[in-house]
Amino acid sequence: MPSAGNVATEYLFIKACRREPVPRTPIWLMRQAGRYLPEYRSLRDRFSFLDLCRNSDAAAKVTVNTVRRLNVDAAIVFADILLPLLPMGLGLTYEKGDGPRVARTVRSAADVDALHHVSVHESLSFVAQTVRLVHRELHGEVPVIGFAGAPFTVASYVIEGGGSRNYVATKSLMYRDSATWHRFMDIIARTTAEYLNMQIDAGAHVVQLFDSWAGALSPQDYRRFALPHSRAVIDALRPGTPVIHFGTMTGSLLPDMRAAGGDVIGLDWRVDLDEAWSRLGYGVGVQGNLDPALLFADRQTIDDAVRDILRGAGGRPGHIFNLGHGILPETPVDNVLHLVEAVHEFSAR
Ligand code: CP3
């Protein structure tokens, strides 16, 4: 069974995470296994999303088939950032077209007291099993990424009961009862660290922490209410496993995200990669940052955008090519295949 020595040094993707020179830029795509793929849609006719996650054989096939179909440089385990809510007993469901719903929202000290404490090892062992199967089926072709949501992003789903535009309930708790806020964030941070370490122990070579909605916070509020908990997660991870720390609309938060931790900072497309990297400092890697909507453009436009991003990275070690956020459901598959080829070709040195 793979364990602490997961980090095979020869993988292009892992070398880039460590800012070692690579012969070409590695690429993978956030949400690379998903509804834009016809084979995923036909699986979803037979399984609900949660049943698919719980069925490790099927989930591992989704991951592995996607890697082979796209020729990307990393696999990401098929799971979700909200699965750790299952053992908390919050009534997590995924509604068609409506995204995740949380039936029992947490908005008070009493709600935090009522949370269940079940270990993720017991309740989410299917995710560890998926990682092990992916690891085995890939025969070392590409490394495996494990992932989780950062505490702020996960908390926002639980407090709002689902996705949100203005995060009013989330920020109300934060501002009105900061002691309860921090207590809740601390529980999520511990669960998240346990969840990620379980994936690392099962064979994940790299982990990504998704703070997708951190950009909703002012820099001051990020530093006060989110950063310490993201840092606690990252500090609790098995040493030696590269961490990618991602968020969107984080242009003003980048130095603070770097301070929270991570070997690589994920950038969305609202920042220029070269400018963002110089602001972060070259002592950290960067991932990104093509606008996912560019995959709806013609090939020449995609190629130009790819060249722009590669030029921004300037051939420095430590760039991983990715979209600036997850791939969109109606994305033409041929353009995704073209993007991967273009990055491989244009970045070859
Ligand atoms: O290829 C992969 O990246 C697969 C693994 C993966 C999923 N979700 C599977 C999934 C990953 C890395 C995620 C991350 C995730 N999940 C994030 C962070 C990334 C981001 O987009 O910001 C967030 C915020 C979630 C929460 C979540 N899960 C939402 C908002 C939704 C519904 C909306 C949507 O984009 O589909 C999900 C469901 C979900 N998670 C699906 C998949 C493949 C779609 C389920 C389906 O309808 O088949």
Side-chain angles (χ1 to χ4, degrees):
M1 195 178 81
S3 65
N6 291 336
V7 181
T9 46
E10 64 274 19
Y11 288 125
L12 217 58
F13 172 72
I14 290 171
K15 284 186 166 206
C17 289
R18 296 184 160 155
R19 287 180 293 111
E20 291 168 17
V22 285
R24 60 167 176 77
T25 303
I27 171 171
W28 71 283
L29 305 170
M30 289 183 279
R31 312 296 292 271
Q32 63 193 19
R35 281 165 301 179
Y36 75 103
L37 286 173
E39 54 272 37
Y40 175 77
R41 287 198 303 271
S42 65
L43 250 182
R44 282 280 283 103
D45 291 339
R46 291 191 285 127
F47 297 99
S48 73
F49 174 65
L50 269 180
D51 285 344
L52 194 48
C53 290
R54 287 194 187 102
N55 182 332
S56 300
D57 287 310
K61 279 203 184 80
V62 171
T63 294
V64 172
N65 291 345
T66 302
V67 167
R68 299 219 167 108
R69 171 102 195 244
L70 302 183
N71 194 29
V72 282
D73 298 299
I76 180 157
V77 59
F78 190 83
D80 196 63
I81 65 163
L82 300 178
L83 296 181
L85 306 184
L86 293 171
M88 293 186 190
L90 296 169
L92 171 68
T93 53
Y94 292 85
E95 313 288 340
K96 245 199 160 58
D98 201 25
R101 305 296 317 164
V102 177
R104 286 185 38 222
T105 55
V106 169
R107 295 186 177 179
S108 68
D111 293 339
V112 174
D113 293 336
L115 292 173
H116 298 182
H117 296 277
V118 182
S119 111
V120 303
H121 291 274
E122 278 170 50
S123 53
L124 299 176
S125 59
F126 57 86
V127 176
Q129 177 63 6
T130 304
V131 175
R132 279 191 288 272
L133 290 174
V134 168
H135 207 280
R136 189 187 310 157
E137 282 172 36
L138 279 172
H139 306 295
E141 285 164 47
V142 294
V144 183
I145 304 170
F147 71 94
F152 174 78
T153 291
V154 174
S156 77
Y157 279 99
V158 182
I159 297 167
E160 304 288 340
S164 180
R165 179 185 283 270
N166 294 318
Y167 303 91
V168 172
T170 306
K171 292 185 181 183
S172 296
L173 180 64
M174 219 166 76
Y175 296 135
R176 295 162 75 113
D177 186 355
S178 65
T180 298
W181 168 266
H182 285 296
R183 195 154 63 87
F184 183 40
M185 290 286 276
D186 184 56
I187 292 169
I188 297 175
R190 285 168 200 274
T191 306
T192 304
E194 202 192 329
Y195 182 52
L196 287 173
N197 278 330
M198 178 185 78
Q199 296 177 57
I200 294 168
D201 291 341
H205 300 85
V206 172
V207 292
Q208 176 157 325
L209 194 63
F210 284 92
D211 211 350
S212 301
W213 313 134
L217 292 171
S218 71
Q220 298 90 309
D221 286 348
Y222 177 79
R223 286 192 287 271
R224 182 158 165 224
F225 295 110
L227 183 155
H229 304 285
S230 294
R231 175 185 280 151
V233 172
I234 294 170
D235 285 351
L237 299 180
R238 307 266 184 265
T241 307
V243 176
I244 304 170
H245 187 181
F246 166 80
T248 73
M249 294 185 283
T250 53
S252 63
L253 303 180
L254 291 173
D256 292 314
M257 282 180 67
R258 184 181 179 189
D263 301 277
V264 177
I265 302 297
L267 304 173
D268 79 9
W269 66 93
R270 296 169 186 90
V271 292
D272 279 324
L273 186 136
D274 50 352
E275 189 265 341
W277 203 354
S278 80
R279 254 192 312 132
L280 280 163
Y282 300 119
V284 70
V286 291
Q287 175 174 277
N289 65 341
L290 189 81
D291 183 342
L294 264 160
L295 290 172
F296 293 84
D298 59 83
R299 295 206 167 161
Q300 189 57 53
T301 306
I302 296 173
D303 288 354
D304 290 346
V306 166
R307 286 199 172 92
D308 256 3
I309 290 171
L310 292 172
R311 205 175 301 120
R316 273 177 223 96
H319 176 222
I320 294 159
F321 205 103
N322 206 317
L323 302 177
H325 200 174
I327 200 163
L328 297 163
E330 300 83 13
T331 303
V333 179
D334 283 347
N335 282 355
V336 179
L337 299 175
H338 177 77
L339 169 68
V340 174
E341 256 179 57
V343 170
H344 284 170
E345 185 190 322
F346 302 161
S347 69
R349 355 188 206 271

